[in-house]
Amino acid sequence: MMINLKNVEAALKNFKANSPFDHCVIDNFFTEDFAHKISQDFFNYESDKWFHYQNPIEDKKALNDWNIFPPTTYSALFMLQSNEFVRLLSLTVGELLYVDHGLHGGGWHIHATGGNLNPHLDYSIHPKIGLQRRLNIIVYLSKELDPKNHGGHLGLWSHDSETSRPKVLEKEIEPLFNRAVIFDTTQNSWHGMSRPLIQPIGIYRKSLAIYYLCKPAENASQMGRALFAPRENQMNNPEIEEIIQLRSGVNTSSQVYKSKKL
């Protein structure tokens, strides 16, 4: 297996000790050569195979079609869905996890200069199979991206129970090459891009994402789409609030996947 399981096992020991919600960071997640090959698999940013989410609360491209992934990416996703890896994650959270073979919301993600992802909560209930989303894993795959100068950090926010929105940015994680982040999505887990992307043209923030599901808890949120929050400069903007509301609905989200920038 091209996943460095010893690194994963060591990081998972502290998974439940981290805040603002359970998570861990794993450097050198894949073997070095394998990670490079996945990064090289990514299609050109201008390829028509990408789906572009482009609106005032998100600007990214994504692809989750198994049939067109090159062999290395296909192999990586296969490993992340293997019994051995899923068993390790299940032991960490203390319940049986299931893979989502359809990669709903997963696969490749890519951000160009100016790319954005507002703080958000991921969907809770899978809109097609009814299981609850429990864990996310994101592996960053951009060797050329220098977070100290280019931004693109993953931010983790605490939850404000009074407003049901993010409260305090408690942690920032640099999207370093071959670094993975695993986190629990059931703990009001507000996350997003905390620093703007200001890299030179031609450098991209690439990542591979996959999600793990469980049987819904009795008190599970019923969200079937992501719930976004406005940034500070978007507060009290009725157009932003309307986009957020539409984006959070299973039947309305497609109306604003692509919309005008404000």
Side-chain angles (χ1 to χ4, degrees), residues 6-16 18 23-27:
K6 288 185 178 180
N7 294 354
V8 177
E9 291 170 350
L12 286 174
K13 289 179 180 178
N14 296 315
F15 181 76
K16 294 188 176 182
N18 295 318
H23 73 277
C24 64
V25 178
I26 309 161
D27 288 324

Side-chain angles (χ1 to χ4, degrees), residues 30-46:
F30 291 115
T31 61
E32 184 82 3
D33 183 61
F34 192 70
H36 277 291
K37 288 180 179 178
I38 302 172
S39 182
Q40 291 168 358
D41 270 354
F42 274 64
F43 299 144
N44 185 285
Y45 186 78
E46 302 304 327

Side-chain angles (χ1 to χ4, degrees), residues 190-203:
W190 291 99
H191 62 285
M193 201 178 298
S194 58
R195 300 192 190 188
L197 276 168
I198 54 173
Q199 77 272 33
I201 300 297
I203 294 178

Side-chain angles (χ1 to χ4, degrees), residues 207-240:
S207 60
L208 181 73
I210 197 167
Y211 311 119
Y212 303 90
L213 313 173
C214 65
K215 292 182 179 178
E218 289 185 6
N219 61 346
S221 163
Q222 296 302 302
M223 286 194 312
R225 289 289 187 271
L227 175 64
F228 283 79
R231 294 195 183 276
E232 289 186 8
N233 63 352
Q234 297 173 327
M235 294 292 189
N236 303 315
N237 184 321
E239 293 182 75
I240 294 293

